[in-house]
PDB file of all heavy atoms in Angstrom:
ATOM      1  N   GLU C 153     -18.829  -2.333 -50.297  1.00  0.00           N
ATOM      2  CA  GLU C 153     -17.898  -1.211 -50.280  1.00  0.00           C
ATOM      3  C   GLU C 153     -16.487  -1.634 -50.682  1.00  0.00           C
ATOM      4  O   GLU C 153     -16.098  -2.797 -50.536  1.00  0.00           O
ATOM      5  CB  GLU C 153     -17.832  -0.577 -48.879  1.00  0.00           C
ATOM      6  CG  GLU C 153     -19.011   0.295 -48.539  1.00  0.00           C
ATOM      7  CD  GLU C 153     -18.743   1.181 -47.338  1.00  0.00           C
ATOM      8  OE1 GLU C 153     -17.563   1.423 -47.013  1.00  0.00           O
ATOM      9  OE2 GLU C 153     -19.725   1.653 -46.719  1.00  0.00           O
ATOM     10  N   ALA C 154     -15.737  -0.647 -51.186  1.00  0.00           N
ATOM     11  CA  ALA C 154     -14.292  -0.787 -51.379  1.00  0.00           C
ATOM     12  C   ALA C 154     -13.616  -0.168 -50.162  1.00  0.00           C
ATOM     13  O   ALA C 154     -13.884   0.991 -49.819  1.00  0.00           O
ATOM     14  CB  ALA C 154     -13.844  -0.090 -52.652  1.00  0.00           C
ATOM     15  N   VAL C 155     -12.742  -0.928 -49.509  1.00  0.00           N
ATOM     16  CA  VAL C 155     -12.214  -0.544 -48.206  1.00  0.00           C
ATOM     17  C   VAL C 155     -10.692  -0.649 -48.197  1.00  0.00           C
ATOM     18  O   VAL C 155     -10.127  -1.629 -48.694  1.00  0.00           O
ATOM     19  CB  VAL C 155     -12.800  -1.445 -47.093  1.00  0.00           C
ATOM     20  CG1 VAL C 155     -12.244  -1.055 -45.722  1.00  0.00           C
ATOM     21  CG2 VAL C 155     -14.321  -1.380 -47.098  1.00  0.00           C
ATOM     22  N   GLY C 156     -10.034   0.334 -47.608  1.00  0.00           N
ATOM     23  CA  GLY C 156      -8.600   0.263 -47.344  1.00  0.00           C
ATOM     24  C   GLY C 156      -8.380   0.051 -45.860  1.00  0.00           C
ATOM     25  O   GLY C 156      -8.997   0.734 -45.038  1.00  0.00           O
ATOM     26  N   VAL C 157      -7.509  -0.889 -45.493  1.00  0.00           N
ATOM     27  CA  VAL C 157      -7.242  -1.200 -44.085  1.00  0.00           C
ATOM     28  C   VAL C 157      -5.773  -0.963 -43.811  1.00  0.00           C
ATOM     29  O   VAL C 157      -4.900  -1.628 -44.382  1.00  0.00           O
ATOM     30  CB  VAL C 157      -7.628  -2.654 -43.735  1.00  0.00           C
ATOM     31  CG1 VAL C 157      -7.327  -2.935 -42.268  1.00  0.00           C
ATOM     32  CG2 VAL C 157      -9.102  -2.904 -44.026  1.00  0.00           C
ATOM     33  N   ASP C 158      -5.489  -0.035 -42.913  1.00  0.00           N
ATOM     34  CA  ASP C 158      -4.128   0.368 -42.592  1.00  0.00           C
ATOM     35  C   ASP C 158      -3.388  -0.737 -41.844  1.00  0.00           C
ATOM     36  O   ASP C 158      -3.970  -1.717 -41.373  1.00  0.00           O
ATOM     37  CB  ASP C 158      -4.169   1.648 -41.761  1.00  0.00           C
ATOM     38  CG  ASP C 158      -2.883   2.451 -41.811  1.00  0.00           C
ATOM     39  OD1 ASP C 158      -1.913   1.990 -42.457  1.00  0.00           O
ATOM     40  OD2 ASP C 158      -2.834   3.531 -41.196  1.00  0.00           O
ATOM     41  N   SER C 159      -2.086  -0.538 -41.693  1.00  0.00           N
ATOM     42  CA  SER C 159      -1.235  -1.476 -40.964  1.00  0.00           C
ATOM     43  C   SER C 159      -1.418  -1.301 -39.465  1.00  0.00           C
ATOM     44  O   SER C 159      -2.197  -0.464 -39.000  1.00  0.00           O
ATOM     45  CB  SER C 159       0.231  -1.251 -41.349  1.00  0.00           C
ATOM     46  OG  SER C 159       0.601   0.088 -41.065  1.00  0.00           O
ATOM     47  N   GLY C 160      -0.669  -2.084 -38.676  1.00  0.00           N
ATOM     48  CA  GLY C 160      -0.745  -1.984 -37.231  1.00  0.00           C
ATOM     49  C   GLY C 160      -1.656  -3.036 -36.635  1.00  0.00           C
ATOM     50  O   GLY C 160      -2.405  -3.730 -37.336  1.00  0.00           O
ATOM     51  N   THR C 161      -1.605  -3.142 -35.326  1.00  0.00           N
ATOM     52  CA  THR C 161      -2.357  -4.189 -34.630  1.00  0.00           C
ATOM     53  C   THR C 161      -3.858  -3.955 -34.692  1.00  0.00           C
ATOM     54  O   THR C 161      -4.633  -4.903 -34.845  1.00  0.00           O
ATOM     55  CB  THR C 161      -1.911  -4.277 -33.168  1.00  0.00           C
ATOM     56  OG1 THR C 161      -2.043  -2.990 -32.539  1.00  0.00           O
ATOM     57  CG2 THR C 161      -0.449  -4.705 -33.072  1.00  0.00           C
ATOM     58  N   THR C 162      -4.296  -2.700 -34.584  1.00  0.00           N
ATOM     59  CA  THR C 162      -5.727  -2.423 -34.653  1.00  0.00           C
ATOM     60  C   THR C 162      -6.237  -2.595 -36.075  1.00  0.00           C
ATOM     61  O   THR C 162      -7.361  -3.064 -36.289  1.00  0.00           O
ATOM     62  CB  THR C 162      -6.035  -1.009 -34.132  1.00  0.00           C
ATOM     63  OG1 THR C 162      -5.353  -0.794 -32.896  1.00  0.00           O
ATOM     64  CG2 THR C 162      -7.526  -0.839 -33.891  1.00  0.00           C
ATOM     65  N   GLY C 163      -5.412  -2.251 -37.060  1.00  0.00           N
ATOM     66  CA  GLY C 163      -5.792  -2.508 -38.451  1.00  0.00           C
ATOM     67  C   GLY C 163      -5.980  -3.985 -38.716  1.00  0.00           C
ATOM     68  O   GLY C 163      -6.930  -4.394 -39.397  1.00  0.00           O
ATOM     69  N   ALA C 164      -5.085  -4.814 -38.181  1.00  0.00           N
ATOM     70  CA  ALA C 164      -5.218  -6.255 -38.352  1.00  0.00           C
ATOM     71  C   ALA C 164      -6.490  -6.770 -37.689  1.00  0.00           C
ATOM     72  O   ALA C 164      -7.158  -7.673 -38.206  1.00  0.00           O
ATOM     73  CB  ALA C 164      -3.996  -6.967 -37.778  1.00  0.00           C
ATOM     74  N   ALA C 165      -6.842  -6.192 -36.530  1.00  0.00           N
ATOM     75  CA  ALA C 165      -8.067  -6.591 -35.853  1.00  0.00           C
ATOM     76  C   ALA C 165      -9.299  -6.210 -36.669  1.00  0.00           C
ATOM     77  O   ALA C 165     -10.284  -6.970 -36.725  1.00  0.00           O
ATOM     78  CB  ALA C 165      -8.129  -5.947 -34.462  1.00  0.00           C
ATOM     79  N   VAL C 166      -9.276  -5.049 -37.325  1.00  0.00           N
ATOM     80  CA  VAL C 166     -10.382  -4.657 -38.201  1.00  0.00           C
ATOM     81  C   VAL C 166     -10.491  -5.613 -39.380  1.00  0.00           C
ATOM     82  O   VAL C 166     -11.594  -6.041 -39.760  1.00  0.00           O
ATOM     83  CB  VAL C 166     -10.203  -3.208 -38.691  1.00  0.00           C
ATOM     84  CG1 VAL C 166     -11.203  -2.886 -39.802  1.00  0.00           C
ATOM     85  CG2 VAL C 166     -10.375  -2.227 -37.539  1.00  0.00           C
ATOM     86  N   ALA C 167      -9.358  -5.959 -39.975  1.00  0.00           N
ATOM     87  CA  ALA C 167      -9.374  -6.906 -41.099  1.00  0.00           C
ATOM     88  C   ALA C 167     -10.014  -8.225 -40.694  1.00  0.00           C
ATOM     89  O   ALA C 167     -10.782  -8.833 -41.468  1.00  0.00           O
ATOM     90  CB  ALA C 167      -7.951  -7.131 -41.606  1.00  0.00           C
ATOM     91  N   GLN C 168      -9.717  -8.699 -39.500  1.00  0.00           N
ATOM     92  CA  GLN C 168     -10.311  -9.937 -39.013  1.00  0.00           C
ATOM     93  C   GLN C 168     -11.833  -9.814 -38.949  1.00  0.00           C
ATOM     94  O   GLN C 168     -12.564 -10.752 -39.296  1.00  0.00           O
ATOM     95  CB  GLN C 168      -9.760 -10.267 -37.618  1.00  0.00           C
ATOM     96  CG  GLN C 168     -10.218 -11.596 -37.056  1.00  0.00           C
ATOM     97  CD  GLN C 168      -9.670 -12.767 -37.849  1.00  0.00           C
ATOM     98  OE1 GLN C 168      -8.472 -12.842 -38.094  1.00  0.00           O
ATOM     99  NE2 GLN C 168     -10.544 -13.670 -38.265  1.00  0.00           N
ATOM    100  N   GLN C 169     -12.325  -8.658 -38.513  1.00  0.00           N
ATOM    101  CA  GLN C 169     -13.764  -8.440 -38.429  1.00  0.00           C
ATOM    102  C   GLN C 169     -14.416  -8.345 -39.815  1.00  0.00           C
ATOM    103  O   GLN C 169     -15.589  -8.685 -39.976  1.00  0.00           O
ATOM    104  CB  GLN C 169     -14.049  -7.159 -37.641  1.00  0.00           C
ATOM    105  CG  GLN C 169     -13.665  -7.228 -36.179  1.00  0.00           C
ATOM    106  CD  GLN C 169     -14.494  -8.243 -35.415  1.00  0.00           C
ATOM    107  OE1 GLN C 169     -15.687  -8.413 -35.663  1.00  0.00           O
ATOM    108  NE2 GLN C 169     -13.856  -8.939 -34.487  1.00  0.00           N
ATOM    109  N   LEU C 170     -13.666  -7.887 -40.807  1.00  0.00           N
ATOM    110  CA  LEU C 170     -14.208  -7.727 -42.160  1.00  0.00           C
ATOM    111  C   LEU C 170     -14.199  -9.020 -42.958  1.00  0.00           C
ATOM    112  O   LEU C 170     -14.827  -9.091 -44.023  1.00  0.00           O
ATOM    113  CB  LEU C 170     -13.404  -6.668 -42.913  1.00  0.00           C
ATOM    114  CG  LEU C 170     -13.441  -5.236 -42.364  1.00  0.00           C
ATOM    115  CD1 LEU C 170     -12.537  -4.340 -43.207  1.00  0.00           C
ATOM    116  CD2 LEU C 170     -14.859  -4.686 -42.333  1.00  0.00           C
ATOM    117  N   ALA C 171     -13.510 -10.035 -42.470  1.00  0.00           N
ATOM    118  CA  ALA C 171     -13.295 -11.257 -43.257  1.00  0.00           C
ATOM    119  C   ALA C 171     -14.580 -11.975 -43.622  1.00  0.00           C
ATOM    120  O   ALA C 171     -14.622 -12.701 -44.623  1.00  0.00           O
ATOM    121  CB  ALA C 171     -12.351 -12.199 -42.505  1.00  0.00           C
ATOM    122  N   SER C 172     -15.623 -11.792 -42.849  1.00  0.00           N
ATOM    123  CA  SER C 172     -16.888 -12.481 -43.133  1.00  0.00           C
ATOM    124  C   SER C 172     -17.837 -11.638 -43.976  1.00  0.00           C
ATOM    125  O   SER C 172     -18.955 -12.081 -44.286  1.00  0.00           O
ATOM    126  CB  SER C 172     -17.585 -12.855 -41.822  1.00  0.00           C
ATOM    127  OG  SER C 172     -17.895 -11.691 -41.073  1.00  0.00           O
ATOM    128  N   ARG C 173     -17.411 -10.447 -44.390  1.00  0.00           N
ATOM    129  CA  ARG C 173     -18.272  -9.531 -45.120  1.00  0.00           C
ATOM    130  C   ARG C 173     -18.060  -9.641 -46.627  1.00  0.00           C
ATOM    131  O   ARG C 173     -17.060 -10.173 -47.105  1.00  0.00           O
ATOM    132  CB  ARG C 173     -17.976  -8.096 -44.663  1.00  0.00           C
ATOM    133  CG  ARG C 173     -18.119  -7.870 -43.158  1.00  0.00           C
ATOM    134  CD  ARG C 173     -19.569  -7.892 -42.735  1.00  0.00           C
ATOM    135  NE  ARG C 173     -20.288  -6.843 -43.425  1.00  0.00           N
ATOM    136  CZ  ARG C 173     -20.259  -5.550 -43.051  1.00  0.00           C
ATOM    137  NH1 ARG C 173     -19.562  -5.174 -41.996  1.00  0.00           N
ATOM    138  NH2 ARG C 173     -20.950  -4.650 -43.737  1.00  0.00           N
ATOM    139  N   ARG C 174     -19.016  -9.109 -47.394  1.00  0.00           N
ATOM    140  CA  ARG C 174     -18.904  -9.078 -48.853  1.00  0.00           C
ATOM    141  C   ARG C 174     -18.356  -7.717 -49.254  1.00  0.00           C
ATOM    142  O   ARG C 174     -19.075  -6.740 -49.378  1.00  0.00           O
ATOM    143  CB  ARG C 174     -20.269  -9.335 -49.500  1.00  0.00           C
ATOM    144  CG  ARG C 174     -20.239  -9.373 -51.043  1.00  0.00           C
ATOM    145  CD  ARG C 174     -21.583  -9.782 -51.603  1.00  0.00           C
ATOM    146  NE  ARG C 174     -22.639  -8.886 -51.160  1.00  0.00           N
ATOM    147  CZ  ARG C 174     -22.910  -7.691 -51.695  1.00  0.00           C
ATOM    148  NH1 ARG C 174     -22.167  -7.238 -52.709  1.00  0.00           N
ATOM    149  NH2 ARG C 174     -23.890  -6.945 -51.237  1.00  0.00           N
ATOM    150  N   LEU C 175     -17.030  -7.660 -49.454  1.00  0.00           N
ATOM    151  CA  LEU C 175     -16.338  -6.399 -49.648  1.00  0.00           C
ATOM    152  C   LEU C 175     -15.178  -6.563 -50.621  1.00  0.00           C
ATOM    153  O   LEU C 175     -14.739  -7.682 -50.894  1.00  0.00           O
ATOM    154  CB  LEU C 175     -15.759  -5.890 -48.314  1.00  0.00           C
ATOM    155  CG  LEU C 175     -16.733  -5.630 -47.163  1.00  0.00           C
ATOM    156  CD1 LEU C 175     -15.972  -5.517 -45.853  1.00  0.00           C
ATOM    157  CD2 LEU C 175     -17.562  -4.382 -47.426  1.00  0.00           C
ATOM    158  N   THR C 176     -14.684  -5.440 -51.122  1.00  0.00           N
ATOM    159  CA  THR C 176     -13.396  -5.386 -51.795  1.00  0.00           C
ATOM    160  C   THR C 176     -12.442  -4.662 -50.855  1.00  0.00           C
ATOM    161  O   THR C 176     -12.722  -3.526 -50.450  1.00  0.00           O
ATOM    162  CB  THR C 176     -13.489  -4.632 -53.126  1.00  0.00           C
ATOM    163  OG1 THR C 176     -14.386  -5.327 -54.002  1.00  0.00           O
ATOM    164  CG2 THR C 176     -12.121  -4.540 -53.782  1.00  0.00           C
ATOM    165  N   VAL C 177     -11.347  -5.318 -50.493  1.00  0.00           N
ATOM    166  CA  VAL C 177     -10.474  -4.773 -49.462  1.00  0.00           C
ATOM    167  C   VAL C 177      -9.028  -4.745 -49.945  1.00  0.00           C
ATOM    168  O   VAL C 177      -8.532  -5.727 -50.513  1.00  0.00           O
ATOM    169  CB  VAL C 177     -10.547  -5.604 -48.161  1.00  0.00           C
ATOM    170  CG1 VAL C 177      -9.630  -5.004 -47.088  1.00  0.00           C
ATOM    171  CG2 VAL C 177     -11.977  -5.678 -47.646  1.00  0.00           C
ATOM    172  N   MET C 178      -8.364  -3.621 -49.702  1.00  0.00           N
ATOM    173  CA  MET C 178      -6.927  -3.530 -49.920  1.00  0.00           C
ATOM    174  C   MET C 178      -6.261  -3.430 -48.547  1.00  0.00           C
ATOM    175  O   MET C 178      -6.408  -2.433 -47.844  1.00  0.00           O
ATOM    176  CB  MET C 178      -6.555  -2.308 -50.765  1.00  0.00           C
ATOM    177  CG  MET C 178      -5.048  -2.163 -50.971  1.00  0.00           C
ATOM    178  SD  MET C 178      -4.598  -0.825 -52.141  1.00  0.00           S
ATOM    179  CE  MET C 178      -4.945  -1.633 -53.709  1.00  0.00           C
TER     180      MET C 178
END
């Protein structure tokens, strides 16, 4: 998937969870 991750503390926590996945992330 192509994914957008918003700012903020919860957004940063989501980004951490996505780091091991095969994705395109902004």
Side-chain angles (χ1 to χ4, degrees):
E153 283 195 21
V155 180
V157 180
D158 202 357
S159 58
T161 55
T162 313
V166 169
Q168 185 67 51
Q169 293 295 323
L170 296 178
S172 62
R173 304 288 300 280
R174 182 174 58 81
L175 301 164
T176 298
V177 181
M178 178 173 282

